[in-house]
Amino acid sequence: MVLATFLPACSKKGTTGNTPTNPGTPVNPQPPVWDPNALRGVWVTNVASTALDSRDNIKLTVQNCKKAGINNIFIVTYNNGRTIYPSTVMNNLIGKPIMERFAGRDPLKEMIEEAKLEGIKVHAWFEYGFSSSYSANGGDILAAKPNWAGRDIDGKLLMKNGFDWLNAFDPEVQDFMISLFKEVATKYEVDGLQGDDRLPALPSTGGYDAYTVNMFKTENGFDPPANYREAYWLEWRTKKLNAFMKRLRNEVKAVKPNIMLTMSPSPYPWGRDEYLQDWPTWVDSGWVDAVLPQCYRYDIAAYNATIAQQKGYYKNPAVAFYPGVLLKVGNNVTSVSLLNQMIQTNRNNGFKGECFFFYEGIKDQISWFQLQYPYIK
């Protein structure tokens, strides 16, 4: 969920409205009818935002979220081969413990402290997951560990939509990612940990590195097909990532049993076909505590269709489902009318909460969040 991502199923291109309009006065000026147990979340990132650039900015971010009725903040914790906290894991790997712009600080710690004062929960969001960099030939991680590279059918570095990918099937890569999750769970009083459309995930054009090819051949007796969309090849790789999801949950819960493990995948089945993401199995198996599919759409007809489709795959009510709602991309802010319609769709389908991408849109539509959002039921 980075602004440079442009995917057919969860695209951030297009417009949803330009100048925010005055939402007016709510029809029923009674206390909000929110379900106190529902998640009302927002993603806070370091891209196209200065929300994390100082302690004062973080404090203001939390205050704005509180005014907007947000009760869960998903703060970017790992992206583009860097962490926003001082990481021993990253320092040991690439000699850089934290993203350079945050040197001398700990924005994750600051966010936790400020949010706790306002009663808001904080989730560490590992945005890049198995992607190591954006258009940087793998970045510092692959410079340190070239054998970790994902490969396409031509043996080239696995890339998609500008993102460079690690080999999600490599045990060392998996150990590295789990070590980041466990490091945060151990060192910080976060309420949750989250992966998204890049964890667990891999472009379905990948899996042609020597390690994965040998593993497939050992298990099946023949080489993987050249056609990356071959059904049995898609299924085999998807099941390998499902196994990682199960392992991630087990290891995280062993460190902190009560921590909330959530995923915000691409919509199914597009996410399976393009990125080997099988969130219905994660939910059915109880490997996640909540799922937040990225239902990013630019008109209500498309949004309604996506919600209906995703709800059709949602079979385990013991795991919460909260749609991801697009609030802002670039200079385009979702209009009040479309926000009203999308949230009403969520409520009509029994979803009592949602998560908004991304924080900067909260500031643009703060009146809507204060005057209309609480009353949609």
Side-chain angles (χ1 to χ4, degrees):
M1 282 181 296
V2 68
L3 293 182
T5 307
F6 299 107
L7 304 179
C10 50
S11 173
K12 296 183 176 62
K13 291 189 215 174
T15 60
T16 57
N18 297 310
T19 304
T21 56
N22 186 347
T25 304
V27 175
N28 181 14
Q30 300 298 317
V33 294
W34 278 324
D35 181 339
N37 298 315
L39 181 147
R40 298 183 300 279
V42 69
W43 283 285
V44 177
T45 181
N46 54 1
V47 178
S49 176
T50 60
L52 304 179
D53 283 0
S54 70
R55 179 78 181 231
D56 285 343
N57 286 16
I58 287 176
K59 185 172 183 178
L60 179 61
T61 296
V62 170
Q63 291 173 345
N64 283 334
C65 288
K66 183 70 173 182
K67 292 176 184 176
I70 298 298
N71 60 9
N72 285 260
I73 288 174
F74 295 81
I75 178 176
V76 67
T77 301
Y78 169 77
N79 66 355
N80 214 11
R82 298 288 191 276
T83 51
I84 70 153
Y85 67 94
S87 169
T88 301
V89 172
M90 294 304 296
N91 194 49
N92 290 341
L93 179 62
I94 62 173
K96 297 176 181 177
I98 193 169
M99 187 170 290
E100 287 82 348
R101 70 192 267 195
F102 300 129
R105 295 178 52 221
D106 188 341
L108 179 57
K109 180 175 182 289
E110 294 169 8
M111 177 65 80
I112 293 168
E113 291 173 351
E114 294 296 338
K116 186 174 293 187
L117 293 175
E118 298 292 351
I120 297 175
K121 294 181 178 180
V122 174
H123 305 248
W125 163 38
F126 294 81
E127 182 189 14
Y128 267 47
F130 285 133
S131 173
S132 60
S133 63
Y134 183 77
S135 299
N137 199 38
D140 289 338
I141 293 177
L142 283 189
K145 295 284 187 178
N147 59 304
W148 285 10
R151 300 290 176 186
D152 62 18
I153 187 66
D154 297 317
K156 297 178 180 178
L157 174 63
L158 183 60
M159 298 178 62
K160 187 163 184 172
N161 296 313
F163 291 91
D164 313 315
W165 286 79
L166 304 173
N167 177 17
F169 307 116
D170 188 307
E172 290 185 5
V173 172
Q174 294 188 355
D175 289 347
F176 159 66
M177 188 53 54
I178 288 177
S179 70
L180 285 178
F181 272 69
K182 291 167 68 173
E183 180 177 57
V184 171
T186 300
K187 292 184 177 181
Y188 295 90
E189 291 301 316
V190 290
D191 298 284
L193 305 169
Q194 186 181 77
D196 62 7
D197 50 352
R198 285 180 285 275
L199 187 84
L202 191 76
S204 54
T205 49
Y208 292 98
D209 59 281
Y211 176 85
T212 306
V213 168
N214 289 335
M215 179 168 56
F216 179 87
K217 188 171 183 178
T218 298
E219 294 183 12
N220 298 280
F222 53 92
D223 288 328
N227 178 10
Y228 70 89
R229 293 190 181 278
E230 194 72 56
Y232 67 85
W233 177 223
L234 281 173
E235 181 181 12
W236 183 86
R237 289 173 294 165
T238 298
K239 286 183 175 179
K240 292 298 182 185
L241 290 189
N242 284 350
F244 171 82
M245 180 72 252
K246 180 180 180 180
R247 180 191 165 202
L248 175 64
R249 177 181 178 81
N250 289 341
E251 295 206 22
V252 163
K253 294 291 185 174
V255 170
K256 190 170 287 186
N258 294 327
I259 202 164
M260 191 173 183
L261 182 63
T262 68
M263 291 291 151
S264 180
S266 296
Y268 188 89
W270 186 91
R272 176 201 60 198
D273 297 340
E274 297 293 327
Y275 286 93
L276 310 176
Q277 290 200 299
D278 179 17
W279 74 252
T281 293
W282 308 344
V283 169
D284 291 346
S285 303
W287 296 334
V288 294
D289 297 310
V291 65
L292 294 74
Q294 296 176 30
C295 301
Y296 301 158
R297 297 294 182 266
Y298 301 97
D299 62 77
I300 192 59
Y303 187 81
N304 287 345
T306 301
I307 290 294
Q309 180 194 49
Q310 299 310 290
K311 185 178 180 181
Y313 293 110
Y314 176 54
K315 306 297 184 183
N316 181 10
V319 173
F321 182 113
Y322 300 111
V325 176
L326 187 60
L327 180 59
K328 183 174 184 177
V329 58
N331 293 321
N332 298 310
V333 182
T334 303
S335 68
V336 163
S337 60
L338 181 55
L339 283 171
N340 280 334
Q341 291 174 310
M342 291 191 294
I343 303 310
Q344 191 64 66
T345 290
N346 292 349
R347 300 296 175 269
N348 291 346
N349 281 277
F351 303 133
K352 303 300 183 182
E354 46 276 318
C355 194
F356 295 94
F357 187 87
F358 69 114
Y359 164 72
E360 294 301 316
I362 297 279
K363 295 187 296 182
D364 293 319
Q365 295 287 31
I366 191 68
S367 295
W368 177 82
F369 277 96
Q370 291 178 296
L371 299 177
Q372 287 186 253
Y373 181 49
Y375 304 97
I376 301 175
K377 60 180 179 178

